[in-house]
Amino acid sequence: MNDAKNFPTVTIRPVNPADEPAVHAVIAAAFGQETEAGLVHDLRHCGALVLERVAETPDRRIVGHIAFSRVTGAGAGHRLHVSCLASLSVHPDFQRLGIGSQLVESSLADLRKAGEDLVLVLGPPAYYPRFGFDPVLAQKVHGPYAGNAFMAMALTEAGDNDLPVEVTFATPFEDFE
Ligand SMILES: CC(C)(COP(=O)(O)OP(=O)(O)OC[C@H]1O[C@@H](n2cnc3c(N)ncnc32)[C@H](O)[C@@H]1OP(=O)(O)O)[C@@H](O)C(=O)NCCC(=O)NCCS
């Protein structure tokens, strides 16, 4: 893990309340605007977050962040545990070093261990398929989002089989453009 691609070595760890300002700053820096940082804040404080992680350098600087929120399912997949990745951020000074990939892979491993069945994402179609997210699977997930940027990844057999599912996202997404 210490080759050039993965340098600097970061620790992926859960978020503490004291991290909130640094998390806000890294999301705003990555996206170049406040909107996504506001969404994550609202999701956290309405209790919708299923999993949230930061990437921290050895000198304790937070340089990356990822969050997943609860999605409610109805229809054939109403028993599925479904969550949505939003958002993923790496500070511009630390991008293309593998930190985004570490955040995604480590979080997916934790979600799998926790019994999550299906993970959704709305994001760059050139980035997320490398982790197994699939726009074709997402066609069986009916809700407010569609198209190639809307992708799904099953973490269990049920996540693949008990579809279609109609999904409702946490309330803060209603104000999110
Ligand atoms: C997307 C993001 C999290 C990737 O983080 P990262 O640490 O740079 O990613 P990694 O180092 O693991 O992977 C880099 C690869 O992702 C690709 N990549 C990065 N952003 C991309 C994008 N928007 N579209 C397509 N590919 C992208 C890079 O070209 C690079 O490809 P390569 O491995 O073939 O060279 C980071 O660029 C970022 O914070 N962007 C701004 C916020 C954003 O768009 N988030 C995603 C939507 S939720």
Side-chain angles (χ1 to χ4, degrees):
M1 296 295 280
N2 279 327
D3 61 9
K5 181 135 179 81
N6 286 310
F7 187 81
T9 304
V10 290
T11 303
I12 309 296
R13 64 158 176 82
V15 178
N16 302 315
D19 297 325
E20 282 196 36
V23 166
H24 187 103
V26 79
I27 301 172
F31 283 92
Q33 57 180 31
E34 300 283 324
T35 317
E36 290 76 9
L39 173 68
V40 169
H41 175 274
D42 293 348
L43 289 167
R44 185 188 299 126
H45 289 282
C46 79
L49 289 189
V50 173
L51 183 138
E52 187 178 17
R53 298 284 184 263
V54 288
E56 188 176 64
T57 61
D59 60 355
R60 309 196 76 174
R61 177 171 174 193
I62 288 176
V63 296
H65 171 267
I66 193 167
F68 297 78
S69 55
R70 179 55 65 216
V71 174
T72 310
H78 70 281
R79 285 201 178 82
L80 294 175
H81 293 103
V82 186
S83 56
C84 171
L85 192 179
S87 57
L88 171 66
S89 308
V90 174
H91 189 283
D93 294 346
F94 291 82
Q95 289 179 3
R96 304 197 72 147
L97 297 169
I99 296 171
S101 299
Q102 287 182 63
L103 279 162
V104 174
E105 281 162 2
S106 145
S107 301
L108 290 174
D110 288 348
L111 288 170
R112 190 177 271 115
K113 272 187 236 154
E116 203 69 11
D117 295 298
L118 190 67
V119 183
L120 312 176
V121 68
L122 192 69
Y127 186 64
Y128 286 106
R130 70 187 67 196
F131 306 109
F133 287 97
D134 180 4
V136 176
L137 185 65
Q139 288 171 9
K140 297 179 188 168
V141 181
H142 304 151
Y145 307 114
N148 275 350
F150 183 51
M151 293 164 265
M153 180 173 176
L155 300 183
T156 62
E157 275 187 30
D160 242 334
N161 297 333
D162 296 358
L163 300 175
V165 60
E166 285 100 56
V167 293
T168 306
F169 291 79
T171 309
F173 281 97
E174 287 170 16
D175 300 327
F176 183 66
E177 288 298 308

